[in-house]
């Protein structure tokens, strides 16, 4: 019985000396798609100076 107690494992957990750094390279691309009604498109083309 004494031999089994002497062979038991010991686990130690310690905090790291330096902070953990996580670099994330994230690219965000947004694409806007719009569709206009034919009448609205014609109106915009006719009155382009007000837009």
């Amino acid at each position: 019985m004494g031999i089994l107690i002497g062979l038991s494992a010991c686990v130690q957990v310690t905090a790291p000396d330096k902070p953990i750094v996580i670099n994330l390279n994230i690219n965000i691309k947004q694409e806007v798609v719009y569709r206009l009604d034919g009448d609205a498109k014609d109106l915009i083309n006719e009155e382009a100076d007000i837009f």
Side-chain angles (χ1 to χ4, degrees):
M1 198 56 120
I3 295 172
L4 292 176
I5 294 173
L7 295 177
S8 66
C10 179
V11 177
Q12 294 181 355
V13 178
T14 58
D17 295 337
K18 297 178 182 177
I20 298 171
V21 177
I22 300 173
N23 291 325
L24 298 175
N25 293 325
I26 299 173
N27 293 324
I28 298 174
K29 180 180 177 183
Q30 183 176 359
E31 195 171 309
V32 177
V33 179
Y34 65 93
R35 294 185 183 146
L36 293 175
D37 180 59
D39 293 334
K41 187 175 182 179
D42 292 339
L43 179 64
I44 290 172
N45 289 333
E46 290 172 6
E47 304 292 334
D49 58 333
I50 64 171
F51 292 103

